[in-house]
Amino acid sequence: GQQVMQIPQYQHVQEGEDFTTYCNSSTTLSNIQWYKQRPGGHPVFLIQLVKSGEVKKQKRLTFQFGEAKKNSSLHITATQTTDVGTYFCAALDQGGKLIFGQGTELSVKP
Amino acid sequence: KAGVTQTPRYLIKTRGQQVTLSCSPISGHRSVSWYQQTPGQGLQFLFEYFSETQRNKGNFPGRFSGRQFSNSRSEMNVSTLELGDSALYLCASSSLAGGTYEQYFGPGTRLTVT
């Protein structure tokens, strides 16, 4: 079945550094979603991208959807300790199931 | 609006037993999905219900089943529990309005099988 590969698995940064997580698929995606899960919490929806080449920003977070709609990225500028958590991408497969990437766990050292 | 609620929040069961978990979606949301989250496998899709009908099913054995009631509340059942079923079980609801599949997750039920 369709898989969504996400890298890196872990990222440790110093507060103020930038962070990027990448999501890749071998097949064209209809859309891609991003979620954040704080330690001990549950995933929280951040954004959905639909259009080829789409770029959306939420404050320090920038989300991109590749031109071929096979990859996506989430970039955080000047990380803060509140950014700690695991970031997941998710995409609908052909059957309509939401498939999640393995997630990137971000830790931020103050 | 109240968020997605799940009960119980924590559960300890013994191998071979069965368990039923409950999920109440956000008011007005008719789609309810269930996921299993483990450190090794990440978030795995179990099934989705919409208007009391199972719309999609993940690759889990038949021991995992679910249902949805007319008020959109959903339950999932796991029979003949195995140690490997220990996980966080997350329920998520969606309105599916405008073709978006934005999922609103509940706090989860932490199941430990001993």
Side-chain angles (χ1 to χ4, degrees), chain A residues 13-24:
Chain A
V13 300
Q14 193 77 34
E15 188 173 22
E17 292 182 337
D18 291 357
F19 159 78
T20 306
T21 174
Y22 301 90
C23 201
N24 297 291

Side-chain angles (χ1 to χ4, degrees), chain B:
Chain B
K1 280 185 180 177
V4 177
T5 58
Q6 291 187 245
T7 57
R9 293 292 311 279
Y10 303 92
L11 207 49
I12 300 175
K13 289 287 188 179
T14 305
R15 256 185 319 176
Q17 288 186 313
Q18 76 164 15
V19 66
T20 299
L21 311 181
S22 181
C23 171
S24 291
I26 290 172
S27 177
H29 286 191
R30 294 164 64 189
S31 167
V32 174
S33 298
W34 288 89
Y35 298 86
Q36 181 195 65
Q37 186 172 34
T38 59
Q41 297 297 318
L43 270 162
Q44 301 286 313
F45 173 83
L46 280 156
F47 25 67
E48 181 200 1
Y49 287 88
F50 182 82
S51 294
E52 301 178 67
T53 301
Q54 187 180 86
R55 288 210 318 173
N56 269 304
K57 189 177 190 306
N59 298 321
F60 279 82
R63 300 185 296 107
F64 291 81
S65 63
R67 58 177 175 167
Q68 187 181 33
F69 303 95
S70 58
N71 61 358
S72 293
R73 190 178 69 84
S74 177
E75 288 181 347
M76 69 163 279
N77 185 78
V78 188
S79 62
T80 319
L81 284 165
E82 300 177 359
L83 295 178
D85 296 332
S86 295
L88 179 66
Y89 289 88
L90 291 159
C91 160
S93 74
S94 180
S95 67
L96 301 185
T100 179
Y101 286 83
E102 174 182 339
Q103 304 275 293
Y104 291 85
F105 284 85
T109 294
R110 173 77 59 186
L111 172 65
T112 302
V113 182
T114 62

